[in-house]
Amino acid sequence: MILAAILYLIFSIPFIFFYLERGHRNQLRSGEKLIHWMTCWNSHKDFFSFSKDKDESGEGYKFYTGLVNEILFYKRELGGHPKKNFQEVKRALLGDVRFEKKVEKEMRGSFFQYICLGVTTWLFIGASHKILGPKVSIKPETLLLILCFQMVGVLLYQIVCHRVKKKDFYFFNLYYGPLFRFFCLIYLNLPVGIVLEKSGFEVFYRKEPLSWKPVLEDLRGLIDRWKNQGSEVRSELSDIVEEVYFLRDLSFEKYREKIQFLRLVFLGIFFLCPYLFYLSVLLSSFLIV
């Protein structure tokens, strides 16, 4: 039984560090590098120096890396002052990175609880077998099933949290990039045709969820007025971006609550249930005796 507990630690800890440290941490590091680069971008003489600054996978941080490269490209080709754009992008990026760090902290806390409860369970099983010896009648296959059940719980928790995040932020990821691209291109004083072509604004005319409906209606009206009348829209667009920040923060908090709820559910199903199951087997052994 002690050997099972040791095996549990051997397989659980590398699993956690492999997926959290190497995967999520590398992504956060690329986001932090991007923030640092944007803070001192004016001191970089080489325009392409940022383009080469990729993470280990060869990709940048979400859509932000491509957006920054576009801003710098239009600055070089058409002139303009990207400082205002960088301020807005950095603000959005900071909020994004902070959220990802909070998610990482929640996931670490969840896995730590899983390991502690799993090890406690196996130490209890080992101690009971050592004390009671042959009085405990439980098959090795059953113990192996308990171990596998706990390991599957850790894996499923990671998968379910990832899928819930992907589902909750699907529309956020769909609209956020084009919105900021549209916002930044307007501040570069580019022609209407180029802004509409490069921003991917057609995504704003797709079917939207209820939470995004007021924001996208205002945005579509703003785009139509800007195309037809050429009126000044920067102030209104800034208000829309503020509303999107609110939606983002609200979505972030809801997702954190879901993670915490899922943690309790998986603790109960995959860790507490096997522990109670073993207790029932232990009591049954006493009754048989």
Side-chain angles (χ1 to χ4, degrees), residues 185-201:
L185 291 174
I186 282 183
Y187 271 89
L188 289 176
N189 296 315
L190 299 175
V192 175
I194 292 180
V195 173
L196 296 179
E197 178 186 354
K198 299 296 183 182
S199 64
F201 79 102

Side-chain angles (χ1 to χ4, degrees), residues 19-243:
Y19 283 99
L20 289 182
E21 290 293 329
R22 187 173 179 178
H24 202 167
R25 192 60 196 168
N26 282 343
Q27 186 188 46
L28 285 175
R29 191 177 296 112
S30 63
E32 291 170 347
K33 285 182 180 179
L34 178 55
I35 293 173
H36 174 74
W37 193 95
M38 293 172 66
T39 302
C40 55
W41 71 274
N42 209 23
S43 63
H44 294 280
K45 297 180 180 180
D46 182 12
F47 166 75
F48 292 102
S49 61
F50 174 72
S51 300
K52 297 176 182 178
D53 188 16
K54 305 284 187 176
D55 60 18
E56 293 180 2
S57 64
E59 299 177 356
Y61 185 78
K62 300 183 179 180
F63 71 89
Y64 295 96
T65 300
L67 181 59
V68 170
N69 275 319
E70 286 184 38
I71 293 172
L72 292 174
F73 173 78
Y74 287 115
K75 176 186 181 297
R76 186 186 68 170
E77 297 295 320
L78 304 172
H81 303 281
K83 183 177 180 180
K84 172 67 176 177
N85 291 334
F86 278 175
Q87 289 175 345
E88 290 297 329
V89 174
K90 275 200 300 183
R91 182 182 174 188
L93 181 57
L94 276 170
D96 196 303
V97 170
R98 285 170 182 166
F99 163 71
E100 294 292 348
K101 286 184 176 181
K102 290 178 181 178
V103 170
E104 181 187 37
K105 184 178 179 181
E106 292 290 341
M107 297 296 287
R108 283 174 178 271
S110 299
F111 286 122
F112 180 75
Q113 289 183 9
Y114 291 162
I115 288 179
C116 289
L117 188 54
V119 170
T120 301
T121 300
W122 285 102
L123 289 176
F124 175 77
I125 293 174
S128 63
H129 272 258
K130 186 175 182 180
I131 295 173
L132 300 175
K135 294 181 180 180
V136 181
S137 59
I138 184 169
K139 297 180 180 179
E141 294 82 1
T142 304
L143 296 177
L144 181 61
L145 180 62
I146 293 176
L147 178 63
C148 293
F149 196 65
Q150 292 176 337
M151 294 300 296
V152 167
V154 176
L155 178 61
L156 282 180
Y157 178 75
Q158 175 81 10
I159 293 174
V160 170
C161 287
H162 176 74
R163 290 189 176 181
V164 170
K165 182 180 179 182
K166 187 176 180 180
K167 179 178 178 293
D168 286 357
F169 291 93
Y170 172 76
F171 288 101
F172 180 81
N173 294 330
L174 182 66
Y175 298 132
Y176 211 51
L179 175 63
F180 266 89
R181 190 170 288 106
F182 180 69
F183 181 89
C184 293
L185 291 174
I186 282 183
Y187 271 89
L188 289 176
N189 296 315
L190 299 175
V192 175
I194 292 180
V195 173
L196 296 179
E197 178 186 354
K198 299 296 183 182
S199 64
F201 79 102
E202 64 275 0
V203 74
F204 303 134
Y205 290 85
R206 297 180 184 178
K207 184 178 180 180
E208 73 282 346
L210 291 177
S211 58
W212 281 83
K213 187 173 182 180
V215 173
L216 292 182
E217 285 181 349
D218 292 342
L219 184 59
R220 287 193 289 259
L222 181 146
I223 292 174
D224 292 339
R225 290 195 303 273
W226 185 59
K227 287 194 299 183
N228 299 327
Q229 303 173 12
S231 55
E232 175 59 44
V233 295
R234 292 179 181 177
S235 177
E236 293 182 62
L237 187 57
S238 296
D239 294 337
I240 292 175
V241 171
E242 289 293 331
E243 185 65 23

